[in-house]
Amino acid sequence: MSSFEDADTEETVTCLQITVYHPGQLQSGIFQSIRFYNREKLCSSEVVKFGRNSNICHYTFQDKQVSRVQFSLQLFKKFDSSVLSFEIKNMSKKTSLLVDNKELGYLNKTDLPYKCMVRFGEYQFLMEKEDGESLEIFETQFILSPRSLLQENNWPLQKPIPEDGSYSSCCTQNTSPTEMDENEL
């Protein structure tokens, strides 16, 4: 038998591709500690933290506006699924995290869709998951975008939240009475 026949079967690996943008990224070196365009293998049991503290976070941002630990990603496998999924958790006490247009407060978490926009402050992250078979490892790959991801991908802009902290879509609709024919009911 040849070594080819004895070799372990190669598994595909789940990859989370993260395209990042910040308006000051070129002048301030915010992303200088992130290796772009290279795939990095991580253990699937690892909780991956993003923030400014290099002792705690796997991916750091050189910006005092970022919390020591801003958010974390963790892999899990849904009960009825063979593929890995990610959950994202807001670790910042001061800043909400927006996943698409769902606002996560401190310690709130949600499943990460296959493709979504994650935002806080002026940071924009387009996260896209590529499924794989391996349950032991996963990969991350960072891409630096030269322009705003919201505009580039035609993402809806976040509606402003009033100072009382609550937002209701009914408040933005026209509330003046309209005449209606009884047959339209």
Side-chain angles (χ1 to χ4, degrees), residues 14-72:
T14 299
C15 181
L16 186 64
Q17 187 178 64
I18 305 169
T19 305
V20 301
Y21 174 79
H22 185 281
Q25 65 195 21
L26 299 177
Q27 299 86 358
S28 61
I30 289 171
F31 300 123
Q32 69 185 11
S33 63
I34 294 176
R35 291 183 26 217
F36 288 98
Y37 307 105
N38 297 318
R39 286 185 175 222
E40 182 178 351
K41 288 187 184 329
L42 299 165
C43 181
S44 59
S45 62
E46 187 173 349
V47 176
V48 182
K49 295 177 181 160
F50 296 71
R52 75 166 196 257
N53 187 329
S54 61
N55 295 324
I56 300 170
C57 298
H58 197 90
Y59 298 109
T60 58
F61 309 117
Q62 310 300 314
D63 183 356
K64 290 181 181 173
Q65 299 296 316
V66 175
S67 293
R68 287 176 188 84
V69 180
Q70 190 72 44
F71 64 93
S72 66

Side-chain angles (χ1 to χ4, degrees), residues 3-136:
S3 61
F4 172 76
E5 292 170 341
D6 293 335
D8 288 338
T9 304
E10 280 192 32
E11 293 180 304
T12 56
V13 176
T14 299
C15 181
L16 186 64
Q17 187 178 64
I18 305 169
T19 305
V20 301
Y21 174 79
H22 185 281
Q25 65 195 21
L26 299 177
Q27 299 86 358
S28 61
I30 289 171
F31 300 123
Q32 69 185 11
S33 63
I34 294 176
R35 291 183 26 217
F36 288 98
Y37 307 105
N38 297 318
R39 286 185 175 222
E40 182 178 351
K41 288 187 184 329
L42 299 165
C43 181
S44 59
S45 62
E46 187 173 349
V47 176
V48 182
K49 295 177 181 160
F50 296 71
R52 75 166 196 257
N53 187 329
S54 61
N55 295 324
I56 300 170
C57 298
H58 197 90
Y59 298 109
T60 58
F61 309 117
Q62 310 300 314
D63 183 356
K64 290 181 181 173
Q65 299 296 316
V66 175
S67 293
R68 287 176 188 84
V69 180
Q70 190 72 44
F71 64 93
S72 66
L73 292 174
Q74 185 168 15
L75 261 88
F76 70 98
K77 194 174 92 162
K78 291 184 181 177
F79 182 71
D80 58 350
S81 175
S82 62
V83 297
L84 293 173
S85 297
F86 288 91
E87 81 177 8
I88 186 167
K89 182 193 279 187
N90 184 9
M91 302 297 289
S92 173
K93 292 179 182 175
K94 296 182 178 179
T95 307
S96 290
L97 190 68
L98 294 171
V99 179
D100 285 339
N101 280 324
K102 182 190 292 184
E103 186 173 352
L104 299 180
Y106 177 57
L107 296 181
N108 289 151
K109 64 182 180 178
T110 189
D111 292 357
L112 208 59
Y114 270 87
K115 181 177 182 177
C116 68
M117 182 71 67
V118 174
R119 296 181 287 150
F120 65 91
E122 294 185 286
Y123 288 83
Q124 300 171 14
F125 303 87
L126 178 61
M127 297 192 179
E128 300 174 273
K129 187 179 94 160
E130 186 182 297
D131 281 335
E133 300 161 346
S134 176
L135 299 179
E136 304 300 317

Side-chain angles (χ1 to χ4, degrees), residues 109-183:
K109 64 182 180 178
T110 189
D111 292 357
L112 208 59
Y114 270 87
K115 181 177 182 177
C116 68
M117 182 71 67
V118 174
R119 296 181 287 150
F120 65 91
E122 294 185 286
Y123 288 83
Q124 300 171 14
F125 303 87
L126 178 61
M127 297 192 179
E128 300 174 273
K129 187 179 94 160
E130 186 182 297
D131 281 335
E133 300 161 346
S134 176
L135 299 179
E136 304 300 317
I137 60 170
F138 71 100
E139 296 176 333
T140 57
Q141 181 180 29
F142 284 86
I143 296 169
L144 184 64
S145 177
R147 58 193 151 277
S148 170
L149 297 167
L150 292 172
Q151 295 166 357
E152 192 172 292
N153 293 285
N154 296 322
W155 228 269
L157 294 174
Q158 174 67 19
K159 294 177 177 67
I161 298 174
E163 287 185 22
D164 66 4
S166 63
Y167 175 79
S168 173
S169 59
C170 69
C171 300
T172 61
Q173 296 174 354
N174 187 357
T175 55
S176 61
T178 56
E179 195 170 319
M180 200 179 221
D181 190 294
E182 352 181 276
N183 297 329

